[in-house]
Amino acid sequence: MTRIAVISAGLSVPSSTRLLADRLSSAAVDAIHGPVEVDVIELRPLAHALADNLLTGFASGELAEALESVRRADALIVVTPVFAASYSGLFKTFFDVLEPDLLTGVPVLVAATAGTARHSLVLDHALRPLFSYLHATVVPTGVFAASEDFGEAGLDARIERATGELAGMLAGAPRRRARSVEDEFADPTPFEELLRGA
């Protein structure tokens, strides 16, 4: 079973960001041979929990479930609205609270929405560097959708190409074993050793 986590950072209800996320996940399911499990993570309802996590270092409730979905995922589809020529703060905050190296080698399809095509470079100037820093493997084709792109054949072609590339990466990639919370505590560092390092 292939697991895909879809991260949608749209702020309005309904949102064009979620619409694009749904179209990408549907096309990815069609492109991948075999059973696929899709977990859609809407960041808007997690905003307070994300702020709490930044302050306390602990995730709880729905945020903990969302982070576990990312941990178990074989690939990510990430979609953000564009604010001030970059990804949204809510989007960045979610990736700020992930464990270090959690996305190492994970295929990621990046996508963004905005009111105008002038923001299309956000894919290469903001999203790719973020996921390169996180050691993820970014799909060559990113998908940008301005308001006027919805309903256009060009957007459908970009979606099909990007999800085909994601499926190709998954077909050639060895499955990574997701680390569970239990794994993290299976071999703890003795307290004395932690004190010596302080």
CSV table of all heavy atoms in Angstrom, one decimal, residues 10 12 42 57 66-67 76 87 106 119 124 143 166 188 192-193 195:
chain,number,residue,atom,x,y,z
A,10,GLY,N,-4.6,26.2,2.7
A,10,GLY,CA,-5.6,27.2,2.4
A,10,GLY,C,-6.2,27.8,3.6
A,10,GLY,O,-6.4,27.1,4.6
A,12,SER,N,-9.1,30.0,3.4
A,12,SER,CA,-10.6,30.2,3.3
A,12,SER,C,-11.3,28.9,3.1
A,12,SER,O,-10.7,27.9,2.9
A,12,SER,CB,-10.8,31.1,2.1
A,12,SER,OG,-10.3,30.6,0.9
A,42,GLU,N,-5.5,19.4,6.5
A,42,GLU,CA,-5.9,20.8,6.4
A,42,GLU,C,-5.2,21.5,7.5
A,42,GLU,O,-5.4,21.2,8.7
A,42,GLU,CB,-7.4,21.0,6.5
A,42,GLU,CG,-8.2,21.1,5.4
A,42,GLU,CD,-8.0,22.1,4.3
A,42,GLU,OE1,-7.3,23.1,4.5
A,42,GLU,OE2,-8.4,21.8,3.2
A,57,GLY,N,7.0,22.6,22.3
A,57,GLY,CA,7.7,21.5,21.8
A,57,GLY,C,7.0,20.2,21.7
A,57,GLY,O,7.6,19.2,21.4
A,66,ALA,N,-1.7,14.4,12.5
A,66,ALA,CA,-1.2,14.9,11.3
A,66,ALA,C,0.3,14.6,11.1
A,66,ALA,O,0.7,14.1,10.0
A,66,ALA,CB,-1.5,16.4,11.2
A,67,LEU,N,1.0,14.8,12.2
A,67,LEU,CA,2.5,14.5,12.1
A,67,LEU,C,2.7,13.0,11.9
A,67,LEU,O,3.7,12.6,11.2
A,67,LEU,CB,3.2,15.1,13.4
A,67,LEU,CG,3.1,16.6,13.6
A,67,LEU,CD1,3.7,17.0,14.9
A,67,LEU,CD2,3.8,17.3,12.4
A,76,LEU,N,4.7,13.0,-0.3
A,76,LEU,CA,3.9,14.2,0.1
A,76,LEU,C,3.4,15.0,-1.1
A,76,LEU,O,4.2,15.1,-2.1
A,76,LEU,CB,4.6,15.1,1.0
A,76,LEU,CG,5.2,14.7,2.4
A,76,LEU,CD1,5.8,15.8,3.1
A,76,LEU,CD2,4.1,14.0,3.2
A,87,TYR,N,5.6,31.1,0.4
A,87,TYR,CA,4.6,30.3,1.1
A,87,TYR,C,4.0,31.0,2.3
A,87,TYR,O,4.6,31.9,2.8
A,87,TYR,CB,5.1,28.9,1.5
A,87,TYR,CG,6.6,29.0,2.0
A,87,TYR,CD1,6.8,29.5,3.2
A,87,TYR,CD2,7.6,28.5,1.2
A,87,TYR,CE1,8.1,29.6,3.7
A,87,TYR,CE2,8.9,28.6,1.7
A,87,TYR,CZ,9.2,29.1,3.0
A,87,TYR,OH,10.4,29.2,3.4
A,106,VAL,N,12.2,11.6,0.9
A,106,VAL,CA,10.8,11.4,0.7
A,106,VAL,C,10.4,12.2,-0.6
A,106,VAL,O,10.7,13.4,-0.7
A,106,VAL,CB,9.9,11.9,1.8
A,106,VAL,CG1,8.4,11.8,1.5
A,106,VAL,CG2,10.2,11.1,3.1
A,119,HIS,N,3.1,35.3,-9.5
A,119,HIS,CA,3.7,34.6,-8.4
A,119,HIS,C,4.2,33.2,-8.7
A,119,HIS,O,4.6,32.5,-7.8
A,119,HIS,CB,2.6,34.5,-7.2
A,119,HIS,CG,2.2,35.8,-6.7
A,119,HIS,ND1,3.0,36.6,-6.0
A,119,HIS,CD2,1.0,36.4,-6.7
A,119,HIS,CE1,2.4,37.7,-5.6
A,119,HIS,NE2,1.1,37.6,-6.1
A,124,ASP,N,10.0,27.7,-7.5
A,124,ASP,CA,11.5,27.5,-7.6
A,124,ASP,C,12.2,28.4,-6.6
A,124,ASP,O,13.3,28.0,-6.2
A,124,ASP,CB,11.9,27.8,-9.0
A,124,ASP,CG,11.4,26.8,-10.0
A,124,ASP,OD1,11.4,25.6,-9.7
A,124,ASP,OD2,11.0,27.2,-11.1
A,143,VAL,N,3.5,22.5,-9.6
A,143,VAL,CA,2.2,22.9,-10.2
A,143,VAL,C,1.8,24.2,-9.6
A,143,VAL,O,1.6,24.3,-8.3
A,143,VAL,CB,1.1,21.9,-10.0
A,143,VAL,CG1,-0.2,22.4,-10.6
A,143,VAL,CG2,1.5,20.5,-10.6
A,166,LEU,N,5.7,11.9,-9.9
A,166,LEU,CA,5.6,11.4,-8.5
A,166,LEU,C,5.4,9.9,-8.5
A,166,LEU,O,6.1,9.1,-7.7
A,166,LEU,CB,4.5,12.1,-7.7
A,166,LEU,CG,4.3,11.6,-6.3
A,166,LEU,CD1,5.5,12.1,-5.4
A,166,LEU,CD2,3.0,12.2,-5.7
A,188,PRO,N,16.5,4.6,24.5
A,188,PRO,CA,16.7,5.9,25.0
A,188,PRO,C,18.2,6.2,25.5
A,188,PRO,O,18.8,5.2,25.8
A,188,PRO,CB,15.7,6.0,26.2
A,188,PRO,CG,15.6,4.6,26.6
A,188,PRO,CD,15.7,3.8,25.4
A,192,GLU,N,22.3,9.8,32.7
A,192,GLU,CA,23.6,10.1,33.2
A,192,GLU,C,24.4,10.6,32.0
A,192,GLU,O,25.2,11.6,32.1
A,192,GLU,CB,24.3,8.9,33.8
A,192,GLU,CG,23.7,8.4,35.1
A,192,GLU,CD,22.5,7.5,34.8
A,192,GLU,OE1,22.4,7.0,33.6
A,192,GLU,OE2,21.7,7.2,35.7
A,193,GLU,N,24.2,10.0,30.8
A,193,GLU,CA,25.0,10.4,29.6
A,193,GLU,C,24.5,11.8,29.1
A,193,GLU,O,25.3,12.6,28.7
A,193,GLU,CB,24.7,9.4,28.5
A,193,GLU,CG,25.6,9.6,27.3
A,193,GLU,CD,25.4,8.5,26.2
A,193,GLU,OE1,25.2,7.3,26.6
A,193,GLU,OE2,25.4,8.8,25.0
A,195,LEU,N,23.5,14.1,31.1
A,195,LEU,CA,24.0,15.1,32.1
A,195,LEU,C,25.5,15.3,31.8
A,195,LEU,O,26.0,16.4,31.9
A,195,LEU,CB,23.9,14.6,33.5
A,195,LEU,CG,22.5,14.7,34.1
A,195,LEU,CD1,22.4,14.0,35.5
A,195,LEU,CD2,22.0,16.1,34.2
